[in-house]
């Protein structure tokens, strides 16, 4: 019996939007998704300098706020890093970790991503832990082995601390390319992730953990993706920059 997994939709704005654009987004998006607000969770992830502003703007709404990354230490000589303690102090509940751009553009390896994950969990944040393969790895039939390697560090943390964890599968070859995994391809990998969690953590943990899909998500494919048994939500990049576009993704996804 699968536990109820509340659908989750996250807008990853990456390095986009200045303050006036952040402010202009909130009202139209809240209005577009208000009727569906009881059916799913909706989270916006701005650049770090606007986290405080967006947290205040969304107070009293159905929208929550995520950071796009966090440091692996509570404080110290780590120029440019943002501590999970600081995120918690701002009222930020969510944090995206291990996004493909952090892994492949900024060269964050599994050990560093896992250290960030542990730090976030220790502060009571809800991490969105990203995994996914590059095009050459998929062509070489290494998708499952790559993802298994990225998940391996979870075994060291244990079920109790991992309880709030969300996982996002984002095939690197489908991010910002206009190409997306088909619903069946997404389901295949999501099912593998859930099976891995069941085997290596527990079946209860696997059943309740939400697994999101990310990679060229748009309104036209959100319903199909959300109709898959093991797809519990969507991590959206470019199509989340417009409030009505992201609202349509959420609304169609929740109706599937």
């Amino acid at each position: 019996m699968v536990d109820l997994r509340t659908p989750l939709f996250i807008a990853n704005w990456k390095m986009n939007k200045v303050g006036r654009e952040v402010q202009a987004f909130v009202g139209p998006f809240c209005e577009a998704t208000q009727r569906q607000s009881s059916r799913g969770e909706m989270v916006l992830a701005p650049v770090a300098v606007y986290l405080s502003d967006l947290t205040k703007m969304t107070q009293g709404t159905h929208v929550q706020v995520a950071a796009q990354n966090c440091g692996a230490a509570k404080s110290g000589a780590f120029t440019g890093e943002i501590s999970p303690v600081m995120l918690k102090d701002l009222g930020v509940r969510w944090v995206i970790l291990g996004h493909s751009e952090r892994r492949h553009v900024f060269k964050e390896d599994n050990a560093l991503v896992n250290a960030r994950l542990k730090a976030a969990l220790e502060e009571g944040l809800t991490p969105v832990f990203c995994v996914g393969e590059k095009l050459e790895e998929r062509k070489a039939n290494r998708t499952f082995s790559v993802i298994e390697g990225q998940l391996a560090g979870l075994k060291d943390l244990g079920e109790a601390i991992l309880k709030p964890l969300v996982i996002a599968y984002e095939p690197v070859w489908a991010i910002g390319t206009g190409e997306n995994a088909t619903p069946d391809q997404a389901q295949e990998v999501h099912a593998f992730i859930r099976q891995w969690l069941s085997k290596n953590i527990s079946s209860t943990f696997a059943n309740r953990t939400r697994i999101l899909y990310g990679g060229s998500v748009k309104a036209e494919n959100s319903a199909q993706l959300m109709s898959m048994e093991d797809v519990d939500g969507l991590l959206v990049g470019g199509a989340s920059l417009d409030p009505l576009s992201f609202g349509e993704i959420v609304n169609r996804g929740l109706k599937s």
Side-chain angles (χ1 to χ4, degrees):
M1 186 70 167
V2 175
D3 294 339
L4 179 63
R5 299 187 295 262
T6 302
L8 172 60
F9 300 85
I10 301 177
N12 177 17
W13 290 346
K14 307 187 180 184
M15 198 174 69
N16 294 291
K17 292 192 182 297
V18 295
R20 65 181 182 276
E21 295 168 321
V22 173
Q23 186 171 18
F25 184 98
V26 175
F29 176 73
C30 287
E31 184 177 354
T33 56
Q34 184 64 49
R35 291 184 179 180
Q36 299 277 20
S37 61
S38 63
R39 299 186 58 199
E41 289 189 285
M42 303 162 209
V43 181
L44 306 178
V47 292
V49 294
Y50 298 117
L51 282 168
S52 180
D53 292 342
L54 187 56
T55 300
K56 293 171 184 173
M57 291 175 199
T58 54
Q59 282 183 352
T61 74
H62 59 277
V63 177
Q64 302 175 67
V65 178
Q68 295 179 13
N69 204 3
C70 76
K74 295 179 184 294
S75 63
F78 303 103
T79 301
E81 290 287 78
I82 299 172
S83 162
V85 175
M86 297 169 184
L87 296 180
K88 184 178 179 180
D89 185 56
L90 286 177
V92 175
R93 174 188 165 194
W94 301 78
V95 60
I96 300 170
L97 296 171
H99 189 279
S100 63
E101 290 154 12
R102 300 305 314 178
R103 291 180 185 272
H104 302 300
V105 177
F106 296 99
K107 310 303 180 186
E108 294 187 6
D109 60 15
N110 287 339
L112 178 55
V113 174
N114 291 340
R116 295 186 190 279
L117 174 64
K118 182 179 180 182
L121 287 165
E122 287 176 346
E123 291 307 317
L125 301 181
T126 300
V128 181
F129 183 76
C130 301
V131 299
E133 82 283 13
K134 295 185 287 188
L135 180 60
E136 59 266 32
E137 292 166 338
R138 174 163 278 269
K139 287 184 173 180
N141 295 316
R142 294 183 54 221
T143 294
F144 294 152
S145 63
V146 168
I147 290 173
E148 191 168 18
Q150 293 168 339
L151 292 171
L154 301 183
K155 291 187 286 187
D156 298 329
L157 296 174
E159 184 172 358
I161 191 173
L162 286 172
K163 188 174 181 179
L165 183 73
V166 173
I167 294 175
Y169 167 57
E170 39 161 26
V172 182
W173 47 271
I175 297 174
T177 63
E179 297 293 330
N180 63 285
T182 66
D184 286 339
Q185 285 174 318
Q187 169 58 26
E188 180 183 38
V189 178
H190 282 229
F192 170 80
I193 293 170
R194 205 172 303 283
Q195 289 164 6
W196 187 95
L197 295 174
S198 181
K199 179 180 178 181
N200 292 280
I201 310 295
S202 78
S203 59
T204 300
F205 180 80
N207 282 337
R208 71 169 180 243
T209 298
R210 289 179 287 186
I211 306 174
L212 315 183
Y213 171 77
S216 294
V217 174
K218 45 191 179 291
E220 290 75 15
N221 62 19
S222 64
Q224 284 183 303
L225 288 163
M226 287 296 294
S227 70
M228 297 292 105
E229 180 181 355
D230 289 298
V231 176
D232 305 311
L234 302 170
L235 175 61
V236 187
S240 75
L241 294 174
D242 179 84
L244 299 184
S245 169
F246 186 48
E248 189 67 12
I249 287 170
V250 171
N251 290 331
R252 291 192 189 188
L254 287 171
K255 289 177 181 177
S256 65

